[in-house]
Amino acid sequence: MSTEPASPHASTPETAGYDPAAVEAAAQGYWRRTRAYEVVEDPSRPKFYCLSMLPYPSGALHVGHVRNYTIGDVISRFQRMTGKNVLQPMGWDAFGLPAENAAIKHATAPAKWTYANIEHMRAQLQAMGYAIDWTREFATCSPDYYVHEQRMFVRLMKQGLAYRRNSVVNWDPVDQTVLANEQVVDGRGWRTGAIVEKREIPQWFLKITDYAQELLDGLDTLDGWPEPVKTMQRNWIGRSEGLEIGFAVADAHFNPTGERLTVFTTRPDTLMGATFVSIAGEHPLALRAAQGNPALAAFIDELRQGGVSEAELETQEKRGMDTGVRVLHPVTGDAMPVYVANFVLMGYGTGAVMAVPGHDQRDWEFAQAYQLPIRMVVVPGEVRDALAELARHVGSHEDAMAAALGESDAIDAYDAAAAVQVVREYQRRIDEEAAYTGRGWLVNSGEFDGLDFDAAFDAIARRVESAGNGQRKVNFRLRDWGVSRQRYWGCPIPVVYCAKCGAVPVPEDQLPVVLPEDVEFSGVKSPIKADPEWRRTTCPKCGGAAERETDTFDTFMESSWYYARYTSPGASTQVDKRADYWLPVDQYIGGIEHAILHLLYFRFYHKLMRDEGLVKSDEPATRLLTQGMVVAETYYREGEGGRREWINPADVEMRRDAHGHVTGAVLKADGLPVGIGGIEKMSKSKNNGVDPQAMVARYGADTVRLFSMFAAPPEQSLEWSEAGVEGMARFLRRFWREVTAHAAQPDHPVVDPASLDAAQKTLRRQLHETIQKVGDDYGRRHSFNTAIAALMELLNHVSRFGDMSGQGRAVRHEALEAMVLLLNPVTPHVSHALWQVLGHPETVLEDVPFPRADPAALARDSVTIAVQVNGKLRGTIEAAPGAPREAVEAAALAEPGVARFLEGQAVRKVIVVPGKIVNIVAG
RNA sequence: GCCCGGGUGGCGGAACGGCAGACGCGAUCGGCUCAAACCCGAUUGUCCUUCGGACGUGUGGGUUCGAAUCCCACCCCGGGCACCA
């Protein structure tokens, strides 16, 4: 304890300053006592459901959470100030892999770790002062929650929308366990370092592909979603129109059933250029060919090495091997080799593709590597024109081509060298440089020569269809959603396996299948897989002995419908009628990293619930805001062997030169230099995370909220800076001083607009311009940083405004009162306190209407117009708003700075943009 | 590899085809102070020693009276790629 007689911060009535801790405790206490943010359905008022993505309870709140939930809180409080009945809920995405990792590390049960984290993080969230209805809170690991998910699943099973099939996973051969993609590093298991293998196991799937077209079409209705998110989803769903073609297998030995090898192509126009077929290693035909072909069997075995992620597969070197199988071209009947190729995936399309090396870059590279023929069958416009010219000389396109390529001497008699060169150069590029992948006109395609893409597509499709060799087909890139996880800490999949009856859904009256929480967790095997007692059950159909499914659901399952559950706390069904009032979500906020997976499953599950009659809308959320990441500078010192030891930014001080340029950084503890490692996403591994709780303790929640909204627009990444946070604290202190000093005045006259002088009018105009901008920035633009900048600017105007006359104080009073309300969504504690300082009784500020700009106060006597000569600024003029074009033009030409630049030049044109700019084109 | 973003002073950013750099940070100078902190005032894109001007939004090209903003090509950085959430 200090023995100082008086603290330097001791306050006297004169200097009583902003004390965030006291202000925040008072405001939060009031909100709690009055249950200020608990809401019920109220058909008399427009509703606004503002939802932020629920947090995973990882241990402690991080700055990304603070940013996400502050955005949601600003929107929620603003919407309520405009008269809406606002719901802002919060919950916990409680199942997941990190709990298992933590359980191994700390020798505790995943459930225990999770619940402790939730307790801690709830307190941290509450200290931020969010206007959340905490009565609706839940954790997704509660059986009360996941029972509804299990019930939905057994219903989907009965409808065939949930089904079981084999699919491939990452297998760690040492630990004998399935690995998540995240756990595969450079093709090896992250703990064992063993080379990961692909392994097929039976898993459950939801038929999201049945909804592919609807998910695609629905994007067109989502006007409130960011265009990049919709584009990413469109590309992910990947609708393509093409042709499914069956290739007859030449040798019955490889194909005892007589089945055709089916491929899907979006480029049927290139069919005549197909010179081989590539198939996946897991393709049945490949497996059959491998019997009795040890080399091929070994190659297919080799392809099993490595992980299953698309990024890994797509960046691998392209490799293949001839299977020895031959198929027949469906039009020419020519025999074509079938290759096993590592870039063909069994999970996409049919697991087989026709290869057209002349017009597909990947096939081209493969053909180069394995000396396979390349056929040119499509040409762009200029080559077609050259061929047409030659054809006029030699009679036919076919002859023209032969002549151009020197296969006949018919052309020698004509002077057509240029056209010949065009064709030869094109052929050379395809042979030696790269495939031509654009659309064009057909050549070397017999009866299809000369057709363009659409005509060729049509003609070849008809030809293939009439021969019974295939049909047109719409294909989607989207694959069914695999929901099985071979993990313990998840929702048990409600299925029983019976030797007689097969996979049987658990009857609804026996749900939930509860996950035991009090378990020993070693990490080697899931406790429910290891426990024969838990597994043992009886078949719901035949009553015989049976076993429970021990896989659990993908955690995306829980996060796909939580938004609906918030509307119906305590309901015995998944949701009840209250959902009809609240849904759809009016504003959804979360990280851009969820643009595809979560947001697609979320939309899909909503449609599943709609089709079950649980919700009425087609889409779960009408508006979406995707926030950027939070990043920070990294600092390090090199330890033994050059290994970098990362140092937290909080322990580092910057060194600058006289210009303020950063010259280096030192550790606060010893004053010695540290390395600067660049700006990275905040993470444990780089130790550049900033603890929001420490910031709140030091500056208060309002300052942290203010900085997280001011430092960057919400959609961009935000760079954390402690100096920036201090700047926000400075602003709040200044604002506090300005309001308390004003409130200390004995009386507060009312503004009389008619009697204001010029300076008073100007301040009042600035106030009302700010009101207009801030409302627009909060409500429409979601541009919180510029709203705050405008308020800072206004405070600068107010503090320079020294007028202590009656009307001077009246204008200042109007401004400060409005500013308290305008700032309320961002800094609700400060506003709560200052509202009372300004003489109002304690109240929930969201019930005070958001200020409205007075059009009369916005009027200006004159506007400044920039004048350019040839696009360069040469001066400015003042003009009355709405002044006639001729007068503005004359004033612009007369402006001395402008006139100087016009000397000796003719004015050719004058562009006048009313109220903004004049551009004089001269020369 | 594929899909989607981003690149503007010393730094974070502003500018919704019309005065590039609002606002904040940092820095410099000055004031207040015994002193430090707080606070207040001034300056702060680069270059030309100037009144004044030239240049300037990743690079190269284009559209336009006018481009940070629209189009094309390229470079660099970030997000996602179906088992991290």
Side-chain angles (χ1 to χ4, degrees):
Chain A
M1 281 304 278
S2 168
T3 53
E4 292 285 319
S7 149
H9 301 294
S11 41
T12 64
E14 181 90 339
T15 63
Y18 167 47
D19 176 0
V23 164
E24 286 167 17
Q28 290 173 16
Y30 180 76
W31 298 333
R32 212 168 23 244
R33 285 197 304 281
T34 57
R35 303 184 163 206
Y37 304 112
E38 293 177 21
V39 284
V40 290
E41 302 69 51
D42 176 359
S44 73
R45 273 193 298 164
K47 64 92 184 179
F48 192 92
Y49 183 1
C50 184
L51 178 72
S52 292
M53 290 183 187
L54 85 178
Y56 177 78
S58 54
L61 210 61
H62 58 70
V63 190
H65 291 129
V66 167
R67 189 183 195 194
N68 195 156
Y69 303 136
T70 304
I71 293 169
D73 204 46
V74 171
I75 295 172
S76 293
R77 287 179 189 267
F78 170 73
Q79 289 295 337
R80 181 154 160 195
M81 290 177 88
T82 66
K84 309 260 174 58
N85 187 27
V86 175
L87 167 60
Q88 185 178 220
M90 185 57 65
W92 307 96
D93 190 15
F95 279 135
L97 190 56
E100 297 197 354
N101 295 332
I104 298 164
K105 198 169 161 193
H106 302 123
T108 175
K112 209 176 151 191
W113 180 84
T114 302
Y115 292 133
N117 289 349
I118 289 174
E119 290 305 311
H120 182 61
M121 290 173 72
R122 184 192 300 114
Q124 291 187 307
L125 275 179
Q126 286 173 341
M128 292 303 301
Y130 297 132
I132 288 168
D133 181 352
W134 284 101
T135 64
R136 295 167 188 262
E137 176 194 7
F138 56 77
T140 58
C141 60
S142 153
D144 291 343
Y145 180 80
Y146 63 67
V147 61
H148 303 291
E149 190 172 309
Q150 293 178 335
R151 191 181 302 139
M152 175 65 98
F153 184 80
V154 298
R155 289 182 186 176
L156 294 174
M157 267 179 86
K158 287 170 194 159
Q159 295 167 49
L161 285 167
Y163 66 95
R164 197 169 183 241
R165 67 166 162 85
N166 277 356
S167 105
V168 63
V169 293
N170 302 305
W171 181 255
D172 186 319
V174 173
D175 264 359
Q176 295 279 301
T177 171
V178 175
L179 297 179
N181 282 337
E182 188 192 46
Q183 299 171 315
V184 179
V185 181
D186 297 329
R188 293 169 182 273
W190 67 348
R191 272 192 238 285
T192 62
I195 291 178
V196 168
E197 297 168 8
K198 298 179 188 73
R199 174 172 283 213
E200 282 209 351
I201 57 171
Q203 308 210 67
W204 287 96
F205 286 82
L206 295 191
K207 243 187 191 169
I208 191 171
T209 50
D210 272 15
Y211 287 79
Q213 189 64 52
E214 204 200 329
L215 287 165
L216 186 63
D217 294 340
L219 293 170
D220 295 332
T221 70
L222 295 174
D223 298 329
W225 281 41
E227 212 50 56
V229 172
K230 289 190 280 186
T231 305
M232 279 190 267
Q233 292 215 349
R234 270 187 204 106
N235 291 337
W236 185 260
I237 294 167
R239 184 185 199 274
S240 56
E241 290 177 18
L243 189 61
E244 212 171 65
I245 307 171
F247 286 73
V249 178
D251 187 341
H253 164 70
F254 291 117
N255 191 26
T257 58
E259 236 173 272
R260 287 165 192 272
L261 176 61
T262 304
V263 305
F264 174 81
T265 178
T266 57
R267 292 292 302 270
D269 60 314
T270 64
L271 176 60
M272 303 306 282
T275 55
F276 62 101
V277 173
S278 304
I279 63 176
E282 303 96 319
H283 196 283
L285 189 59
L287 299 176
R288 214 169 297 129
Q291 296 167 8
N293 183 344
L296 183 62
F299 179 73
I300 291 173
D301 212 44
E302 226 177 288
L303 295 188
R304 280 192 230 281
Q305 288 200 351
V308 299
S309 78
E310 189 181 325
E312 187 177 336
L313 295 170
E314 287 282 322
T315 50
Q316 273 172 5
E317 190 200 346
K318 311 282 176 278
R319 298 167 63 210
M321 183 178 270
D322 192 348
T323 57
V325 179
R326 295 291 175 270
V327 291
L328 305 179
H329 191 283
V331 176
T332 64
D334 292 346
M336 299 158 58
V338 176
Y339 273 70
V340 166
N342 64 347
F343 55 84
V344 181
L345 306 177
M346 202 56 218
Y348 299 149
T350 60
V353 293
M354 74 176 197
V356 184
H359 304 285
D360 179 281
Q361 189 57 26
R362 195 161 61 180
D363 294 342
W364 187 90
E365 281 161 21
F366 196 86
Q368 292 289 340
Y370 294 94
Q371 279 97 52
L372 290 157
I374 298 173
R375 275 175 62 86
M376 164 178 109
V377 292
V378 174
V379 298
E382 50 158 9
V383 178
R384 178 199 54 168
D385 294 344
L387 283 169
E389 190 189 328
L390 298 177
R392 278 198 295 278
H393 298 296
V394 298
S396 79
H397 272 92
E398 214 165 297
D399 293 342
M401 178 69 74
L405 300 179
E407 289 155 13
S408 91
D409 51 11
I411 209 75
D412 289 354
Y414 304 95
D415 180 19
V420 168
Q421 278 316 306
V422 167
V423 178
R424 286 190 183 162
E425 170 59 15
Y426 177 70
Q427 173 79 65
R428 190 195 61 77
R429 288 217 309 271
I430 285 189
D431 285 342
E432 296 169 17
E433 287 176 9
Y436 171 72
T437 58
R439 290 182 180 183
W441 286 265
L442 267 57
V443 294
N444 295 330
S445 296
E447 64 193 275
F448 308 112
D449 273 3
L451 299 179
D452 67 8
F453 175 84
D454 291 318
F457 189 122
D458 214 52
I460 290 174
R462 265 200 314 258
R463 171 73 185 265
V464 167
E465 280 170 344
S466 65
N469 278 335
Q471 63 275 313
R472 285 167 223 248
K473 205 184 163 196
V474 172
N475 204 46
F476 292 94
R477 203 186 80 94
L478 182 69
R479 311 198 302 254
D480 277 337
W481 177 11
V483 295
S484 293
R485 298 292 179 270
Q486 296 68 46
R487 283 202 254 290
Y488 155 72
W489 187 234
C491 170
I493 297 178
V495 173
V496 162
Y497 298 103
C498 166
K500 251 191 279 173
C501 313
V504 182
V506 174
E508 292 192 21
D509 59 9
Q510 291 177 29
L511 296 176
V513 176
V514 175
L515 183 77
E517 296 191 347
D518 185 17
V519 296
E520 299 263 324
F521 192 82
S522 66
V524 177
K525 202 168 188 188
S526 159
I528 58 173
K529 289 187 191 292
D531 181 356
E533 282 311 306
W534 191 85
R535 293 205 309 266
R536 186 176 305 142
T537 186
T538 52
C539 173
K541 255 192 193 163
C542 71
E547 287 232 337
R548 288 192 186 284
E549 169 69 84
T550 57
D551 281 359
T552 54
F553 281 135
D554 177 6
T555 57
F556 276 127
M557 213 50 159
E558 287 86 53
S559 56
S560 292
W561 67 278
Y562 73 105
Y563 66 96
R565 186 65 187 174
Y566 284 141
T567 68
S568 308
S572 59
T573 48
Q574 195 156 15
V575 296
D576 61 24
K577 287 286 145 207
R578 289 172 287 177
D580 296 340
Y581 175 80
W582 292 111
L583 293 179
V585 169
D586 296 280
Q587 179 68 59
Y588 195 26
I589 304 138
I592 182 66
E593 66 272 20
H594 296 294
I596 295 177
L597 290 180
H598 162 68
L599 287 172
L600 197 61
Y601 295 143
F602 166 74
R603 295 180 57 221
F604 168 52
Y605 208 102
H606 190 80
K607 292 173 197 300
L608 291 177
M609 289 197 290
R610 177 201 61 194
D611 293 347
E612 282 293 316
L614 292 164
V615 298
K616 293 207 160 76
S617 43
D618 291 326
E619 292 284 345
T622 52
R623 291 211 292 176
L624 172 71
L625 190 157
T626 49
Q627 62 150 356
M629 300 174 309
V630 181
V631 299
E633 192 69 77
T634 56
Y635 304 96
Y636 64 90
R637 276 197 181 149
E638 304 218 331
E640 280 169 46
R643 242 197 63 191
R644 286 184 173 185
E645 312 268 342
W646 297 97
I647 299 164
N648 196 274
D651 303 327
V652 170
E653 208 168 74
M654 302 310 292
R655 286 287 145 94
R656 294 168 192 277
D657 65 14
H659 304 285
H661 301 201
V662 170
T663 54
V666 298
L667 190 66
K668 283 181 189 166
D670 59 16
L672 297 172
V674 296
I676 301 178
I679 292 180
E680 305 241 14
K681 180 177 175 173
M682 280 191 185
S683 70
K684 274 196 179 134
S685 59
K686 290 285 168 72
N687 191 19
N688 64 339
V690 173
D691 178 7
Q693 200 171 18
M695 288 280 155
V696 171
R698 187 152 173 200
Y699 301 101
D702 279 337
T703 295
V704 173
R705 294 169 58 116
L706 190 60
F707 179 74
S708 70
M709 291 299 95
F710 177 72
E715 311 225 334
Q716 282 179 31
S717 62
L718 180 153
E719 194 181 320
W720 199 263
S721 129
E722 180 141 5
V725 177
E726 274 172 30
M728 298 304 106
R730 204 170 297 156
F731 167 72
L732 288 181
R733 280 198 299 266
R734 275 183 66 205
F735 183 50
W736 187 278
R737 257 202 324 270
E738 199 68 43
V739 173
T740 48
H742 168 75
Q745 298 291 316
D747 63 330
H748 306 111
V750 171
V751 171
D752 170 23
S755 69
L756 299 181
D757 67 24
Q760 293 163 350
K761 250 190 204 163
T762 299
L763 181 64
R764 193 151 184 270
R765 194 194 74 235
Q766 289 164 335
L767 165 65
H768 285 267
E769 282 171 353
T770 306
I771 290 172
Q772 196 168 47
K773 174 163 181 59
V774 171
D776 189 46
D777 281 355
Y778 283 165
R780 180 181 66 91
R781 297 214 307 156
H782 291 159
S783 177
F784 311 111
N785 54 327
T786 54
I788 294 164
L791 286 162
M792 288 175 167
E793 221 173 333
L794 184 60
L795 180 62
N796 290 340
H797 293 315
V798 170
S799 45
R800 274 179 215 131
F801 179 76
D803 187 343
M804 296 306 288
S805 70
Q807 279 303 298
R809 280 181 291 135
V811 170
R812 186 182 296 105
H813 189 82
E814 185 189 1
L816 292 174
E817 198 154 81
M819 285 176 75
V820 166
L821 295 175
L822 294 176
L823 269 170
N824 178 59
V826 184
T827 59
H829 309 91
V830 163
S831 289
H832 181 85
L834 291 181
W835 189 247
Q836 295 168 71
V837 169
L838 286 172
H840 299 280
E842 187 169 34
T843 185
V844 175
L845 268 192
E846 287 71 36
D847 292 333
V848 179
F850 197 80
R852 282 181 177 225
D854 173 1
L858 291 171
R860 283 170 179 268
D861 297 334
S862 77
V863 289
T864 306
I865 294 176
V867 184
Q868 297 180 329
V869 177
N870 292 332
K872 283 200 164 76
L873 182 72
R874 297 303 181 190
T876 58
I877 55 171
E878 291 293 316
R885 178 171 292 258
E886 295 74 24
V888 172
E889 193 175 321
L893 290 166
E895 208 279 332
V898 173
R900 207 149 50 85
F901 277 89
L902 291 174
E903 263 172 52
Q905 297 196 78
V907 173
R908 292 198 193 153
K909 193 172 171 187
V910 179
I911 287 126
V912 179
V913 181
K916 282 201 169 149
I917 206 163
V918 176
N919 189 14
I920 300 162
V921 185

